Amino acid sequence: MSILSGKNILLGITAGIAAYKTASLVRLFIKAGANVKVVMTPASKDFVTPLTLSTLSKHPVISSFTNEDDDNATWNNHVELGLWADLFLIAPVTANTMSKMASGNSDNILLATYLSAKCPVYFAPAMDLDMYKHESTNNSIEKLESFGNIMIPATSGELASGLVGKGRMAEPEYIIAFLENDIVKGLPLYGKQVLITAGPTHEAIDPVRFIGNQSSGKMGFEIANAAASLGAKVILVSGPTHQSINNNNLITVIPVVSANDMYIASHKYFENSDIAILSAAVADYKPKFIAEQKIKKAASTLNLELEKTKDILASLGEIKQQQILVGFALETNNELENAIAKLKKKNLDLIVLNSLNDDGAGFGGNTNKVTIIDKNENSINYGLKSKAEVAKDLMDEILKQFNA
Ligand code: CTP
């Protein structure tokens, strides 16, 4: 999942030949899960048609203050458009539009929207090399940067004039990557590493059989998404599950099978982590001996000797330094008391309690109902929510601890 997913992106297009690339840009935004609206200067319509852009963005394209197709001539509200946007990208932006932006001229709807926008503004210039080098263009760029607008610089190459030099609009893929990086840098967990364990473990009995449990891994995968959407680099140590991460370069999945594999992987990444959230349903016991060959059926009963697995959470609690350590507790009786005892015993900062007595909580389903308890035994009860929402609530609580 891209960090642009769910974001409202306003794309402003001005009259440069690079405007033809905006069709790809809109497609890439949509592919990333963003909502896109397009505002154009009247002259830019000679380079790319509003029909192409409205079809790709699934929204009407606005290029004048009034809606000309309408008999009653309705007003296009640039203020509303500016407020709707989480991000305003003007690409390509010409020397002419940059100069108008810098001086507060608002003689078209794109410029009026620019003056009303409260969100971050990015601009990707495109022009001929001598125009790009001109001092007045540099002055405009400096002025826009002094307003806090962010430039996505032009690149070098062959220009529409046939000359070769700097002035080509950055490629759409580069623009998307630039925006993603810039947004991530501003997020509260940027530069932090979060270790998460998820899913069940499988403890081998023989080459074809194992002891497992019903954990789906959903909760842990949702926590990984929630942590990444706060800008964190996530190491997701996952037991065997059917879950997958949808194209998110902040999340690295480390697949493991047994409790011992999970122990080794968790210890490998813990030292450099700032936060560790152990949501996996780790087997408490494993077969003492793994049969080398498939066990044949013989006697009417079969005894398996089990031994304890290592408690990953407790072992991390013992070596914990600056890390915020979060555990889960699945309880059936004396829930709060048991969860607090677990939090203290395992040296945790937070524990997430799910009670099997609550409908819709726990393994398998898409929902969960949790209570989050901190070291001072303060607890917050949450209602029944989707696991994605529970993950967001948990990350909010962790952020509070992190900033405390
Ligand atoms: N956990 C772990 N390693 C284990 C067992 C559990 O890291 N070998 C972690 C789980 O990921 C969870 C927490 O410990 O975050 C609580 O696990 P739970 O099974 O509820 O508690 P236990 O400590 O095993 O105690 P009990 O089963 O007796 O309730």
Side-chain angles (χ1 to χ4, degrees):
M1 208 168 48
S2 162
I3 207 82
L4 296 171
S5 174
K7 292 250 181 314
N8 291 340
I9 295 182
L10 184 59
L11 174 62
I13 303 175
T14 75
I17 182 70
Y20 80 90
K21 293 183 184 173
T22 57
S24 310
L25 203 47
V26 173
R27 287 195 63 167
L28 291 173
F29 278 132
I30 298 284
K31 202 169 150 213
N35 309 308
V36 186
K37 289 188 182 177
V38 176
V39 57
M40 304 175 78
T41 59
S44 72
K45 292 196 283 184
D46 290 337
F47 295 92
V48 59
T49 74
L51 182 62
T52 304
L53 298 161
S54 62
T55 309
L56 292 173
S57 68
K58 301 184 184 75
H59 284 289
V61 168
I62 293 163
S63 58
S64 66
F65 286 102
T66 54
N67 199 335
E68 296 135 25
D69 300 335
D70 193 330
D71 289 342
N72 301 315
T74 48
W75 165 253
N76 283 322
N77 192 333
H78 57 88
V79 177
E80 229 167 58
L81 208 52
L83 293 178
W84 171 84
D86 294 317
L87 181 166
F88 188 11
L89 165 68
I90 308 175
V93 65
T94 57
N96 182 36
T97 294
M98 283 200 292
S99 143
K100 288 179 174 183
M101 286 160 70
S103 64
N105 184 326
S106 62
D107 67 1
N108 64 44
I109 184 116
L110 185 148
L111 290 163
T113 307
Y114 167 71
L115 291 179
S116 324
K118 294 213 166 78
C119 60
V121 176
Y122 296 81
F123 61 101
M127 64 200 73
D128 214 50
L129 77 167
D130 292 317
M131 292 174 83
Y132 198 57
K133 272 196 268 182
H134 199 282
E135 204 168 329
S136 78
T137 305
N138 281 329
N139 286 344
S140 301
I141 291 173
E142 269 175 31
K143 194 86 195 241
L144 295 180
E145 287 182 330
S146 78
F147 298 157
N149 301 164
I150 300 155
M151 177 163 75
I152 306 175
T155 59
S156 292
E158 193 178 328
L159 302 166
S161 60
L163 298 172
V164 176
K166 201 164 181 186
R168 283 170 68 97
M169 186 181 85
E171 290 303 320
E173 289 78 6
Y174 178 87
I175 291 179
I176 300 282
F178 185 102
L179 294 174
E180 285 176 338
N181 281 338
D182 205 66
I183 293 171
V184 166
K185 274 191 215 150
L187 293 173
L189 289 182
Y190 175 70
K192 306 291 173 205
Q193 180 168 297
V194 179
L195 168 68
I196 297 168
T197 67
T201 62
H202 287 180
E203 308 305 325
I205 297 170
D206 69 13
V208 293
R209 303 183 179 96
F210 60 82
I211 299 174
N213 63 61
Q214 302 272 19
S215 167
S216 64
K218 266 183 206 148
M219 195 63 244
F221 276 66
E222 290 296 359
I223 297 169
N225 284 326
S229 70
L230 295 173
K233 177 177 172 225
V234 177
I235 305 290
L236 175 57
V237 178
S238 173
T241 74
H242 296 296
Q243 309 299 319
S244 58
I245 290 294
N246 186 3
N247 189 22
N248 191 323
N249 54 16
L250 286 172
I251 304 177
T252 306
V253 181
I254 312 286
V256 295
V257 177
S258 68
N260 197 47
D261 298 342
M262 193 174 271
Y263 178 93
I264 293 167
S266 302
H267 275 264
K268 180 172 169 194
Y269 293 101
F270 184 66
E271 193 184 334
N272 291 329
S273 295
D274 300 279
I275 297 166
I277 307 166
L278 274 64
S279 68
V282 187
D284 287 329
Y285 290 90
K286 62 176 181 178
K288 189 161 182 189
F289 306 102
I290 304 173
E292 274 181 26
Q293 306 297 334
K294 185 181 166 221
I295 300 171
K296 288 282 187 195
K297 61 177 171 296
S300 58
T301 59
L302 173 73
N303 289 323
L304 279 179
E305 193 180 350
L306 302 179
E307 66 179 4
K308 258 195 176 161
T309 56
K310 289 184 216 158
D311 189 321
I312 307 166
L313 184 58
S315 68
L316 297 182
E318 278 167 25
I319 58 167
K320 181 177 98 166
Q321 308 235 318
Q322 81 294 346
Q323 296 93 342
I324 292 183
L325 185 58
V326 183
F328 273 68
L330 182 63
E331 305 291 342
T332 51
N333 61 315
N334 294 337
E335 288 108 332
L336 208 56
E337 204 182 310
N338 284 339
I340 291 171
K342 227 169 251 182
L343 174 133
K344 299 233 143 90
K345 194 170 131 217
K346 299 192 187 188
N347 192 22
L348 311 182
D349 297 281
L350 288 177
I351 194 153
V352 184
L353 162 66
N354 349 222
S355 165
L356 268 191
N357 298 326
D358 287 321
D359 285 345
F363 283 5
N366 287 320
T367 55
N368 208 353
K369 187 166 182 291
V370 303
T371 303
I372 300 179
I373 308 156
D374 71 15
K375 271 193 294 205
N376 303 321
E377 301 185 21
N378 299 314
S379 63
I380 308 177
N381 280 305
Y382 296 85
L384 186 68
K385 295 185 175 195
S386 71
K387 286 188 173 171
E389 287 169 319
V390 173
K392 281 199 191 103
D393 288 341
L394 174 58
M395 289 313 303
D396 282 349
E397 273 316 297
I398 293 173
L399 265 187
K400 278 189 210 155
Q401 300 266 326
F402 206 73
N403 297 328

